[in-house]
Amino acid sequence: MAKLKYSKDGRLLFTKEMKKEYTILLPMMLPIHFKLAQNTLRHYGYNTVLLETTCPEIAQEGLKYVHNDTCYPALLVIGQFIHALKSGKYDVNKTALMITQTGGGCRASNYIHLLRKALRKSGFDKVPVISLNLSGLEKNSGFRLSFNMLRRLIGALVYGDILMLLNNQVKPYEISKGDSHALTQKWTEILTDQLNCGKGINIKQFTENMNAISDDFAKIKTFRIPKVKVGVVGEIFVKYSSLGNNELEKFLESQDCEICVPGILGFLLFKVDNRLEDINLYGGNRIKAYIVKALLKYLEKIESILINAVKRNDCFVVPSTYKHTKSLVDGVIGYGNKMGEGWLLTAEMLELAESGYENIVCTQPFGCLPNHICGKGMIRKIKEKQPKANIVAIDYDPGSPRVNQENRIKLMLSIAKENLYKENKSVYVPDQEKVTEVINDEFIPEKNIEMVRV
């Protein structure tokens, strides 16, 4: 068993010996993205487990060890970790936890300290916590984020974006249920194999893979009838995590909606761009500015590849560039507003409304000041610029009943359906018997399927 070692400030370190023996638990946020990232970490010798639990006991565990005024995502992530440690599935003497740490002004930078405090309270003080950060905040001899690993992790997140985007656009209209999910799984396996071999991460390979992904999703047989299109924005954890938003996407699917969730690449660009804005506003090191500009240029190049790949098939809605999204808030909110999701939250709502996803669920943890200001607080201003915007802000915290949240979303959707009816004069669905006949032959909806009015 690996010997426990501590830093000068009393922090339990994750050592090289632990890397060989320990299982590392990871919190779940983006299923497609994190699965690819997990596979990359496994390739580098880290035995990782993604926690996919969503039971009510998780929030209760969090409430035992985290003050209920603390950020809701922190309560859930910490509760999920402790729930896993208490489950008996893992040897707590050979288990470590990993959590991201931004180093910014948001409370998210302090999740790791809250987690360690909770571990001491719950009797798991011998469980080491690894900080995944790019700011050199904490170092462990057993975990090193190398340049090659970072490139592969970025690749995992970017590929996750295009798979999530196209899956969301195809799934509501697919004729054979499960085709889109199966294709997502297929590409997850292909990309895992490539990333593990150091492939798929240069510009040429990004282009080839994304074009192939786009073409594959375009081949799925679909029947496109008018549906309510809903965009989901908000604090990064509750926006993406089914644990954080009470399975919001599954609920919207049950309401027969097409969903659009802005990708993580925009958030990465936002974080890098913020470093440049800081230098422009307050001054800074020239070398740092050069590195930040180079990284920003690299990410923008990858973004252009993704956009062009989606654009090559006209059946898909093409996402806007980061630069265009940023321009939408010029004169609306300041670029110095960057805590949490900052001005990007406002910009994403404007971009969604502009691209046809004017029905928006703004997910926000109760007590998250940046989200309440840049999300809920900007709704009136957004509607001035985009009159069709139909936005509902939903608070998520342990005391918010799920049924109340879903009823408020249903109220927003009722307005959305009324607007859809007005735009299309009437709502149509295919005659199911005739659809079945045509599926066995060649599917040409314009010629072969009669429509019936609802």
Side-chain angles (χ1 to χ4, degrees):
M1 182 175 172
K3 184 179 179 181
L4 299 182
K5 294 183 180 179
Y6 294 85
S7 65
K8 292 180 180 179
D9 61 359
R11 173 171 60 89
L12 179 59
L13 299 172
F14 183 78
T15 63
K16 290 180 180 179
E17 293 76 17
M18 290 177 175
K19 179 182 176 181
K20 300 173 185 177
E21 302 176 1
Y22 276 53
T23 297
I24 302 174
L25 305 184
L26 311 173
M28 174 62 85
M29 190 170 75
L30 287 149
I32 301 171
H33 303 64
F34 276 30
K35 188 63 180 177
L36 285 165
Q38 178 197 21
N39 291 339
T40 296
L41 289 171
R42 282 181 172 174
H43 173 72
Y44 278 89
Y46 300 99
N47 180 26
T48 57
V49 174
L50 269 173
L51 298 178
E52 301 184 46
T53 46
T54 57
C55 57
E57 290 79 14
I58 289 172
Q60 295 307 312
E61 287 292 349
L63 285 169
K64 288 180 185 177
Y65 306 108
V66 182
H67 196 284
N68 62 359
D69 281 342
T70 301
C71 195
Y72 184 50
L75 185 147
L76 288 179
V77 171
I78 293 169
Q80 188 178 46
F81 277 140
I82 294 177
H83 180 266
L85 293 173
K86 287 183 175 181
S87 68
K89 293 180 181 179
Y90 311 101
D91 181 351
V92 295
N93 294 312
K94 292 185 178 180
T95 301
L97 313 177
M98 181 178 285
I99 191 169
T100 55
Q101 193 178 16
T102 63
C106 180
R107 285 181 287 182
S109 294
N110 298 308
Y111 286 4
I112 193 167
H113 307 295
L114 293 171
L115 175 57
R116 288 194 177 109
K117 184 178 180 181
L119 290 173
R120 287 194 297 272
K121 284 183 177 180
S122 56
F124 297 113
D125 54 316
K126 303 302 181 185
V127 175
V129 183
I130 305 166
S131 170
L132 180 62
N133 70 85
L134 299 177
S135 305
L137 295 174
E138 291 187 0
K139 295 181 180 179
N140 294 277
S141 62
F143 181 79
R144 188 173 69 89
L145 190 60
S146 66
F147 177 72
N148 284 333
M149 187 199 294
L150 181 60
R151 285 187 69 195
R152 295 183 193 194
L153 289 174
I154 290 174
L157 296 179
V158 174
Y159 285 127
D161 269 3
I162 193 169
L163 289 172
M164 179 178 71
L165 175 75
L166 298 182
N167 178 58
N168 281 341
Q169 290 195 27
V170 171
K171 189 176 180 180
Y173 308 100
E174 62 188 3
I175 295 170
S176 181
K177 295 300 178 184
D179 279 357
S180 183
H181 176 73
L183 187 57
T184 301
Q185 294 298 106
K186 170 192 166 183
W187 270 105
T188 299
E189 293 174 7
I190 293 171
L191 294 168
T192 293
D193 291 340
Q194 288 190 16
L195 291 171
N196 286 350
C197 296
K199 297 179 181 179
I201 52 177
N202 65 36
I203 297 303
K204 181 182 178 183
Q205 292 163 346
F206 268 128
T207 304
E208 290 173 352
N209 281 336
M210 290 194 187
N211 286 347
I213 290 169
S214 179
D215 291 346
D216 271 3
F217 273 93
K219 291 174 186 174
I220 294 177
K221 291 182 178 180
T222 58
F223 186 80
R224 294 185 178 270
I225 58 174
K227 289 181 183 282
V228 171
K229 294 186 174 185
V230 180
V232 178
V233 298
E235 189 274 334
I236 190 168
F237 184 81
V238 295
K239 174 170 68 173
Y240 292 129
S241 170
S242 60
L243 173 62
N245 58 38
N246 287 333
E247 299 183 312
L248 174 61
E249 288 188 50
K250 188 179 290 186
F251 170 72
L252 291 171
E253 286 174 7
S254 74
Q255 301 300 305
D256 199 28
C257 299
E258 179 190 331
I259 307 160
C260 180
V261 187
I264 197 72
L265 181 56
F267 186 77
L268 293 179
L269 282 160
F270 168 70
K271 286 299 181 184
V272 174
D273 190 25
N274 280 340
R275 302 290 178 97
L276 203 56
E277 285 290 346
D278 285 345
I279 293 169
N280 293 336
L281 290 170
Y282 312 116
N285 188 293
R286 289 184 180 180
I287 297 175
K288 179 182 176 182
Y290 176 81
I291 295 172
V292 171
K293 285 180 181 178
L295 180 55
L296 187 65
K297 187 177 180 180
Y298 172 69
L299 292 176
E300 285 179 334
K301 178 62 178 176
I302 296 175
E303 180 192 53
S304 69
I305 294 170
L306 187 155
I307 289 172
N308 288 331
V310 177
K311 194 182 293 184
R312 64 191 273 122
N313 291 291
D314 57 12
C315 56
F316 300 131
V317 177
V318 182
S320 298
T321 64
Y322 171 76
K323 282 186 176 178
H324 176 71
T325 303
K326 183 178 180 179
S327 72
L328 294 176
V329 293
D330 187 22
V332 176
I333 190 171
Y335 294 128
N337 187 333
K338 58 188 181 66
M339 292 302 103
E341 284 61 46
W343 60 260
L344 181 65
L345 176 53
T346 308
E348 284 182 341
M349 286 194 279
L350 285 167
E351 192 272 331
L352 284 168
E354 181 183 71
S355 59
Y357 296 89
E358 63 270 11
N359 308 295
I360 300 169
V361 179
C362 182
T363 63
Q364 48 192 40
F366 180 76
C368 180
L369 189 59
N371 259 247
H372 280 74
I373 293 171
C374 305
K376 191 173 184 178
M378 296 303 296
I379 291 176
R380 182 180 63 82
K381 194 71 175 178
I382 291 167
K383 288 185 175 181
E384 287 177 5
K385 294 197 72 174
Q386 291 287 346
K388 287 186 177 181
N390 176 28
I391 307 170
V392 60
I394 304 294
D395 285 343
Y396 290 90
D397 73 274
S400 296
R402 180 169 179 168
V403 66
N404 288 358
Q405 294 164 345
E406 292 180 350
N407 282 340
R408 294 193 62 215
I409 295 170
K410 283 181 179 179
L411 182 61
M412 181 273 287
L413 292 177
S414 67
I415 297 170
K417 289 174 182 176
E418 186 177 333
N419 292 336
L420 181 69
Y421 180 84
K422 289 177 181 177
E423 288 174 7
N424 294 279
K425 304 303 179 185
S426 56
V427 178
Y428 293 92
V429 296
D431 183 300
Q432 189 58 47
E433 291 182 3
K434 293 185 179 294
V435 170
T436 305
E437 291 174 11
V438 175
I439 288 174
N440 296 324
D441 195 7
E442 186 178 358
F443 187 73
I444 309 174
E446 293 82 3
K447 296 181 180 179
N448 293 325
I449 293 186
E450 295 179 7
M451 310 295 286
V452 295
R453 183 170 179 174
V454 176

